Amino acid sequence: MAEEKLKIIMNVDKAKVLLCDYKDNKIVNYNEEGKLLKYPIGSGIAGVVIAKGECENVANAVNHNFYNGLVDIETHMPLVTFPIKMEEDIIGVFEVINAKGIQGLSSTGKA
């Protein structure tokens, strides 16, 4: 599964990959049982990243204005959401829990 590979690459405990289905105007991913889940494309922090095309690093995901518990990783820890781009097109996003953010790293990754 993509999330398992992403956890290894990013050295994190939790990760989520969501893809854009522009035909149906949805964000899609698969749950642990392999069921396809669909959400409106503007949903959650993931939807904001899709719209802006820029990374979001939030200190407390659950308390963020755009947080959506169906779409985003549920955590009170820092959450980083990155756009996935193919050339100039955004084809999805991935989210990881940024445990290092607790130690004072900024959104640029610098202390």
Side-chain angles (χ1 to χ4, degrees), residues 18-74:
L18 300 126
L19 300 175
C20 298
D21 177 355
Y22 289 111
K23 180 182 174 193
D24 290 334
N25 207 30
K26 302 285 184 190
I27 302 171
V28 300
N29 77 325
Y30 291 88
N31 67 11
E32 293 175 1
E33 293 80 35
K35 180 181 176 188
L36 179 64
L37 305 174
K38 296 183 178 189
Y39 315 100
I41 205 154
S43 300
I45 298 167
V48 171
V49 170
I50 290 168
K52 290 176 32 180
E54 298 174 359
C55 175
E56 282 285 326
N57 187 359
V58 299
N60 183 328
V62 171
N63 290 334
H64 192 275
N65 290 342
F66 295 111
Y67 173 78
N68 181 319
L70 296 174
V71 179
D72 300 310
I73 293 175
E74 183 176 349

Side-chain angles (χ1 to χ4, degrees), residues 1-17 32 73 79-80 82 94-100:
M1 181 177 257
E3 279 109 0
E4 293 302 317
K5 300 263 186 208
L6 182 58
K7 285 175 15 182
I8 293 167
I9 292 168
M10 299 293 293
N11 192 26
V12 296
D13 293 326
K14 196 154 191 179
K16 190 170 194 178
V17 176
E32 293 175 1
I73 293 175
L79 181 72
V80 183
F82 297 91
F94 68 87
E95 294 184 327
V96 295
I97 294 176
N98 179 14
K100 292 181 180 178

